[in-house]
């Protein structure tokens, strides 16, 4: 069990629409288009000492468009790109479920799919997270709902209207160390 003094703030990041442009069911590195300055924003979070965690709904698994191995491979490839730029994600969590899926084992209503908090709860069990100083950056209402239900700050992001790097800089100023 971690003591409170060992806990650190976490930056939970949605993937599609925050780290990469959401072009729909991205599951291979050649399909991935990074949001401008996303690797630099992740590096800034790393340098500030935050735990960086990606939480992403991946209904393409339930819909039979790709499997969970493809999601894991993409995340590993993304990690390679980030590391080459001096950044890293501490953990990737994804929900493969969707109630309207065509793959029976994944066609369920679950608590890990945002706005559910299952991925956030798993991260809190596995990492020494200080919720009072943590936040989630997402581009959808489901992301904001998950943040609220998990009792952390939700920060809505629009890649068309603002810079992720600037948004991260603003969020870092709000964290009391």
């Amino acid at each position: 069990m971690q003591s409170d003094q060992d806990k650190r703030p976490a930056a939970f990041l949605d993937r599609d629409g925050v780290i990469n442009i959401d072009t729909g069911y991205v599951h291979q590195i050649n399909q991935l288009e990074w949001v401008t300055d996303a690797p630099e924003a992740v590096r800034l979070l790393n340098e500030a000492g935050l735990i960086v965690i990606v939480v992403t709904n991946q209904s393409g698994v339930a819909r039979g468009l790709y499997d969970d191995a493809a999601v894991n491979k993409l995340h590993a490839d993304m990690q390679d790109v980030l590391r080459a730029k001096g950044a890293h994600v501490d953990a990737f969590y994804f929900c493969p479920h969707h109630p309207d899926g065509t793959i029976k084992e994944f066609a369920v209503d679950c608590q890990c799919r945002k706005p559910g908090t299952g991925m956030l709860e798993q991260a809190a069990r596995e990492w020494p997270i200080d919720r009072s100083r943590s936040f989630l950056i997402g581009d959808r209402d489901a992301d904001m709902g998950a943040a609220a239900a998990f009792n952390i700050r939700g920060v809505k992001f629009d890649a068309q209207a603002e810079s992720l790097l600037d948004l991260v800089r603003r969020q870092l100023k709000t964290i009391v160390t």
Side-chain angles (χ1 to χ4, degrees):
M1 187 80 176
Q2 299 283 334
S3 72
D4 284 346
Q5 69 186 28
D6 293 334
K7 291 187 174 187
R8 299 179 4 226
F12 292 94
L13 307 175
D14 178 46
R15 196 188 80 187
D16 302 324
V18 174
I19 296 176
N20 60 279
I21 304 296
D22 188 354
T23 57
Y25 303 109
V26 172
H27 62 281
Q28 296 176 340
I29 195 70
N30 65 347
Q31 299 170 318
L32 187 128
E33 180 182 347
W34 294 89
V35 164
T36 303
D37 295 330
E40 292 78 7
V42 172
R43 186 178 67 233
L44 189 60
L45 291 165
N46 296 148
E47 290 169 353
L50 276 73
I51 300 167
V52 179
I53 297 176
V54 170
V55 288
T56 178
N57 289 344
Q58 291 299 311
S59 70
V61 175
R63 297 173 195 278
L65 301 175
Y66 46 88
D67 60 17
D68 55 352
V71 178
N72 289 324
K73 170 84 168 90
L74 175 60
H75 291 164
D77 291 344
M78 291 173 72
Q79 192 78 285
D80 290 343
V81 171
L82 289 167
R83 283 198 176 109
K85 295 180 182 264
H88 70 276
V89 169
D90 292 291
F92 287 87
Y93 296 92
F94 70 93
C95 172
H97 307 112
H98 194 281
D100 298 332
T102 57
I103 306 298
K104 187 177 181 181
E105 68 185 286
F106 297 117
V108 298
D109 193 9
C110 66
Q111 283 303 305
C112 61
R113 182 172 179 76
K114 294 175 289 178
T117 59
M119 290 184 283
L120 302 167
E121 291 169 13
Q122 182 180 355
R125 287 190 302 272
E126 296 175 358
W127 294 90
I129 294 172
D130 177 352
R131 286 192 205 195
S132 69
R133 297 186 298 150
S134 297
F135 56 88
L136 185 153
I137 299 174
D139 65 324
R140 297 180 183 263
D141 290 342
D143 299 316
M144 298 305 99
F150 192 62
N151 201 28
I152 61 173
R153 188 166 16 105
V155 182
K156 198 131 184 209
F157 173 66
D158 179 351
Q160 301 297 318
E162 64 186 316
S163 158
L164 182 60
L165 192 56
D166 289 344
L167 182 140
V168 163
R169 285 184 180 123
R170 285 194 309 275
Q171 294 314 304
L172 288 174
K173 289 179 183 176
T174 68
I175 295 176
V176 178
T177 55

